[in-house]
Amino acid sequence: MFFVDTIEIEGLGNRHYLAGGARAAVAVDPPRDIDQVIAAAARRGVRITHVVETHIHNDYVTGGLELARVTGAAYVVPAAAQIAFSRIPVHDGDLIEIDEELSVRALATPGHTPHHTAYVLEDAGTPVAAFTGGSLLMGTVGRPDLVEPRLTENLARAQHASAHRLAAELPDDTSILPTHGFGSFCSSGQAEGEASTIGREKAVNAALLQDVDSFVAGLLAGLEDVPAYYAHMGPANSAGPDPVDLTAPRRADAIEIGVRLAAGEWVVDLRNRVAFAQGHVAGSFNFEADGKIATYLAWMIPWGKPVTLLAETTQQLADAQRELVRVGIDHPAAAATGSPSDWLRPGQVPASFRRAAFADLAAELSRAEVPPVVLDVRRDSERAVGYVEGSVHIPVHALHRRIDEVPAGQVWVHCAGGMRAGIAASLLDAAGRDVVAVDDGFDRAAEAGLTVRAAA
């Protein structure tokens, strides 16, 4: 008998796996906070004997090297990966024994990266699951444009070939267990479903339904901006990441918070967007702890700039710190817990801005002599499906660099659901703009009477 346990990192849209038998297990693409993997092994009563990487990751800092060191496991990395530390190189076809009658077989699946390798879990020689990393995902494939622009088209073609290899060599009932594709920007498209098999992918995945030229053309046309922090993940993983350090940051008082703001550092308020809009430290930015804080904060903050975290509770602070170390934002400069009354000096008052719905925006546009600026901070693909007529478009991840492009006047900012609008509103508020955050679902825009058009 075998087991497969899934460790889901929802904020990054990734899944990591522990698979094994009665005594031993293999960890696949482990996250940087390895305590989760160790705890999963302890619950199963097994020893981690192998740690395997499908590829050098571009979207998070791996915990593989540290997990292997702590557990004494063999660290297995594709042979062609360029890395600066000792590991066991794995080649196409290599078989790794995990437990009695349980093994993983390496299958070269280039495309997401040139050296990408999938691992087929075999029980008594029968394939039962495939850890497909960033190769074949649920309903799509991993992006081929994260390594080097000149390689993108060739890697896209390799993705097509790798998907077909998996489909040809594995039984239809083989489960596919990808690392990416659950909201990850490493996915080339929207992943579909919570579970899948080779047989299901044959029926729904464009990589297995289209000829290579059609597939590559569609894949390349659909690629969007790459999160800026990805440029730092590959080099960190190739060099060998430092061990994770979740030591609580030093505590800052109101005076220090003010000094850090005055110095141009980032002060990030982790509370929900409703509480932030009602009252916050002027100049602070709002990245909700319950949102995709790791993705958006890492994408937007100038790399290496000190960050101070403001949280309601020590648990909220600890959770956010855990999220951030996964993408290489280590050791916040300082932190504070409580509420704005604890973070402001005597005599200071909280800043605030208004929240509204699309119906409020429609009413404002119909009655205002000078109509407000409508700012859409969604991604290009979202806007292509439909946008509010007359709106300005700057994706949220670019807003901090392009804030001077926002026209003068009151700004009503929206996204698809409210979280990114909250981030954008905090940036505009910190820049001294009169802002209203539209905290509403975009599907209600037309219902509210706004003219919604599709991109030509």
Side-chain angles (χ1 to χ4, degrees):
M1 295 295 293
F2 68 92
F3 70 87
V4 177
D5 289 342
T6 301
I7 299 169
E8 186 163 7
I9 307 297
E10 186 175 353
L12 294 178
N14 287 331
R15 290 180 180 174
H16 316 268
Y17 303 96
L18 183 74
R23 295 180 301 277
V26 56
V28 182
D29 289 342
R32 192 179 186 194
D33 45 329
I34 60 173
D35 55 336
Q36 296 190 86
V37 186
I38 293 171
R43 286 192 295 270
R44 289 286 185 176
V46 295
R47 183 168 66 92
I48 299 174
T49 57
H50 293 79
V51 178
V52 302
E53 303 278 11
T54 57
H55 60 294
I56 301 301
H57 304 283
N58 287 291
D59 66 323
Y60 71 94
V61 180
T62 181
L65 183 62
E66 179 67 359
L67 181 61
R69 185 190 69 81
V70 168
T71 63
Y75 192 32
V76 178
V77 180
Q82 301 298 308
I83 55 177
F85 50 86
S86 177
R87 87 318 193 178
I88 296 176
V90 67
H91 302 83
D92 184 43
D94 285 354
L95 193 67
I96 302 168
E97 300 290 342
I98 304 299
D99 206 328
E100 185 177 354
E101 296 194 322
L102 189 70
S103 59
V104 291
R105 177 166 53 89
L107 205 84
T109 48
H112 188 49
T113 66
H115 60 265
H116 192 283
T117 300
Y119 297 92
V120 180
L121 184 67
E122 298 182 348
D123 184 18
T126 300
V128 292
F131 300 104
T132 54
S135 181
L136 186 66
L137 311 185
M138 295 181 188
T140 185
V141 296
R143 295 178 69 145
D145 62 329
L146 302 180
V147 178
E148 158 62 53
R150 291 171 296 182
L151 299 178
T152 297
E153 182 172 349
N154 286 340
L155 287 176
R157 292 181 177 277
Q159 278 290 53
H160 186 270
S162 291
H164 279 263
R165 182 185 184 189
L166 287 164
E169 296 189 16
L170 299 177
D172 282 357
D173 60 356
T174 306
S175 297
I176 67 160
L177 301 172
T179 302
H180 306 310
F182 309 95
S184 167
F185 284 93
C186 274
S187 175
S188 65
Q190 180 62 46
E192 301 175 354
E194 286 297 307
S196 192
T197 62
I198 290 292
R200 178 181 180 274
E201 292 307 308
K202 288 179 179 179
V204 302
N205 199 307
L208 299 174
L209 294 172
Q210 297 177 344
D211 65 83
V212 63
D213 291 332
S214 299
F215 168 76
V216 169
L219 179 62
L220 298 184
L223 295 174
E224 296 194 82
D225 291 347
V226 176
Y229 73 92
Y230 278 25
H232 305 280
M233 300 296 97
N237 289 325
S238 295
D242 292 331
V244 66
D245 182 0
L246 293 173
T247 304
R250 62 182 301 276
R251 294 307 173 102
D253 59 16
I255 293 175
E256 182 176 347
I257 291 168
V259 169
R260 291 187 177 279
L261 280 168
E265 297 181 9
W266 279 39
V267 174
V268 172
D269 191 325
L270 301 170
R271 296 175 301 147
N272 70 67
R273 59 185 181 267
V274 176
F276 183 88
Q278 290 173 344
H280 55 270
V281 177
S284 62
F285 302 141
N286 182 215
F287 290 80
E288 292 180 295
D290 292 337
K292 295 175 74 71
I293 178 176
T295 294
Y296 284 106
L297 180 56
W299 195 337
M300 297 168 67
I301 191 171
W303 198 252
K305 181 176 280 293
V307 60
T308 295
L309 301 178
L310 307 180
E312 288 180 303
T313 65
T314 55
Q315 186 61 56
Q316 186 181 64
L317 175 61
D319 291 344
Q321 189 177 356
R322 180 179 286 268
E323 290 273 353
L324 294 175
V325 298
R326 293 169 179 155
V327 292
I329 299 180
D330 295 351
H331 311 299
T337 56
S339 65
S341 63
D342 302 303
W343 308 329
L344 293 167
R345 286 173 286 184
Q348 289 184 311
V349 296
S352 63
F353 53 77
R354 182 182 166 199
R355 293 170 55 251
F358 278 109
D360 301 312
L361 174 58
E364 180 70 15
L365 289 171
S366 67
R367 66 172 175 255
E369 292 184 11
V370 178
V373 177
V374 180
L375 176 63
D376 180 351
V377 295
R378 297 173 301 156
R379 296 190 302 276
D380 291 347
S381 61
E382 295 172 287
R383 186 171 172 87
V385 176
Y387 62 91
V388 175
E389 185 177 47
S391 60
V392 177
H393 181 227
I394 303 176
V396 69
H397 60 263
L399 182 59
H400 62 300
R401 300 190 308 271
R402 299 173 54 190
I403 206 158
D404 290 343
E405 298 177 26
V406 180
Q410 187 180 66
V411 183
W412 289 58
V413 59
H414 79 85
C415 60
M419 182 195 74
R420 287 172 291 172
I423 296 173
S426 73
L427 296 175
L428 291 161
D429 177 74
R433 298 299 300 269
D434 180 10
V435 63
V436 179
V438 179
D439 196 351
D440 202 359
F442 187 73
D443 56 354
R444 298 187 182 90
E447 297 174 7
L450 295 166
T451 300
V452 175
R453 300 194 182 281

